[in-house]
Amino acid sequence: MRYRVLGGTGIQVSVHCLGTMMFGAVGNPDHDDCARIVHTALDRGINFVDTADMYSAGESEVIVGKALRGRRDDVVLATKVHFPMGEGPNRGGNSRRWIVRAVEDSLRRLGTDWIDLYQVHRPDHTTDVEETLGVLTDLVRAGKIRAFGCSTFPAEEIVEAQHVAERRTLGRFRTEQPPYSILARGIERAVLPVCQRYGMGVLVWGPLASGFLSGTYRQGAAVDLTAGRPARNPDRFDPALPGNAAKYAAVEELVALAEEVGCSLPELAVAFTVAHPGVTSAILGPRTMTQLEGLLKGAALTLDDAVLDRIDEIVPPGTNLYQPDGVWSPPALTDPSLRRRPPADRAAA
């Protein structure tokens, strides 16, 4: 396993990061089996583990904490804050009030005295970014976290945060965690160039594109829309819908390309993400040991220029053939009132 520096922090992280979203009730509820997955990843050279407080309502952090007992010093541990962790208006978000509470809860569940990378899981338009950067800076000074970053922030929000940090002499986001795959290349337009401009580390999630690049969903094959990911978002997977045709067609071309290369489709997909100079690490999110082993088999795969050129032909750079689940949308798009003047003020004359 190779290692890369994480956004100028001096911290060396493996090019593959173990993601633990599938640990716990929403994925694999067997704590011992999840611990074996963690130990196998560490034994294979992965030293970077990513979780979040909201994964299985904190259960994932508990599992990770138990799995890292006796090995904590050798692991770069990342977790996240933002999503609601209970009822009430102030049990989530990016405010000082919530982050101070949430970091203590994460430290307790993880069974550790410090978090190496603490990430703001999504933007929060109700909280001034200065407020968020201020509390994160204080947590670094207090020794509770070593560095902090953001996750799934649009380019303009990243730039604003960097400018605020400079103006107010606060710590700055050292990393970004965006979605990235062959089928979702939108971050190549602005997010990755902005991160490179500011020397930020980038750990990408979703390299298998919600399972589309796992080889499970194929053109012409029946899709069970009542189970798994298709049950949660049938409109994204239903092959009868015209909007999905391009995804299934691209998958078929990528399957053929993987066969030419002599690898599996998931191996091709992950290798593609870490070939970009702006990407530090790709998050692998296995639910089972079999899935982990299958992904790690491709760790040494190098895609040459001819293969990358072919991928560019199938899915052009900067193109999203689908919008990844959970991507943050700005209020300007989600709130119609922000796009519409009052009726009496809409006419030009």
Side-chain angles (χ1 to χ4, degrees), residues 31-294:
H31 288 205
D32 291 337
D33 190 43
C34 291
R36 284 189 288 270
I37 292 173
V38 173
H39 296 159
T40 298
L42 300 184
D43 292 342
R44 296 286 292 275
I46 289 177
N47 76 336
F48 197 11
V49 178
D50 178 76
T51 186
D53 56 4
M54 58 86 66
Y55 294 164
S56 293
E59 187 181 4
S60 174
E61 286 187 327
V62 172
I63 294 170
V64 169
K66 291 193 294 187
L68 294 183
R69 287 175 187 166
R71 306 186 72 167
R72 175 67 184 91
D73 288 343
D74 299 322
V75 173
V76 178
L77 180 58
T79 191
K80 298 182 281 293
V81 61
H82 168 80
F83 286 105
M85 291 295 290
E87 296 183 3
N90 292 309
R91 293 185 57 82
N94 301 346
S95 69
R96 173 179 288 270
R97 185 182 193 277
W98 174 243
I99 289 175
V100 167
R101 165 69 183 275
V103 74
E104 296 293 346
D105 290 344
S106 286
L107 288 168
R108 173 177 47 79
R109 286 189 292 262
L110 290 165
T112 186
D113 294 327
W114 82 97
I115 293 163
D116 294 291
L117 177 63
Y118 198 47
Q119 301 158 100
V120 179
H121 213 155
R122 293 292 188 275
D124 176 4
H125 73 277
T126 68
T127 304
D128 192 316
V129 70
E130 181 181 346
E131 171 94 353
T132 303
L133 294 174
V135 65
L136 293 171
T137 300
D138 290 344
L139 291 177
V140 171
R141 292 170 178 164
K144 296 182 184 296
I145 65 177
R146 300 294 186 254
F148 54 87
C150 50
S151 175
T152 320
F153 273 46
E156 63 272 17
E157 299 268 352
I158 297 172
V159 171
E160 180 187 2
Q162 293 288 333
H163 286 181
V164 169
E166 182 178 7
R167 290 198 307 269
R168 303 301 188 189
T169 62
L170 298 169
R172 65 187 183 91
F173 287 138
R174 289 290 189 173
T175 63
E176 158 63 10
Q177 185 181 138
Y180 186 45
S181 70
I182 296 176
L183 299 184
R185 302 182 62 175
I187 65 167
E188 294 173 343
R189 290 183 175 271
V191 170
L192 285 178
V194 162
C195 289
Q196 289 176 285
R197 167 66 180 82
Y198 290 107
M200 297 172 66
V202 175
L203 45 156
V204 298
W205 58 266
L208 298 187
S210 297
F212 267 101
L213 298 178
S214 68
T216 302
Y217 309 107
R218 299 289 300 275
Q219 195 173 49
V223 177
D224 184 357
L225 299 176
T226 65
R229 290 181 184 271
R232 294 195 295 271
N233 292 288
D235 290 348
R236 293 176 180 268
F237 291 86
D238 188 349
L241 297 178
N244 292 328
K247 289 184 285 189
Y248 283 101
V251 167
E252 293 308 306
E253 292 190 74
L254 292 169
V255 168
L257 179 60
E259 291 175 353
E260 292 177 21
V261 174
C263 66
S264 68
L265 179 57
E267 291 169 5
L268 178 77
V270 175
F272 165 81
T273 62
V274 298
H276 194 289
V279 173
T280 309
S281 187
I283 298 174
L284 312 180
R287 181 177 55 84
T288 67
M289 185 71 76
T290 299
Q291 291 175 349
L292 175 65
E293 292 285 0

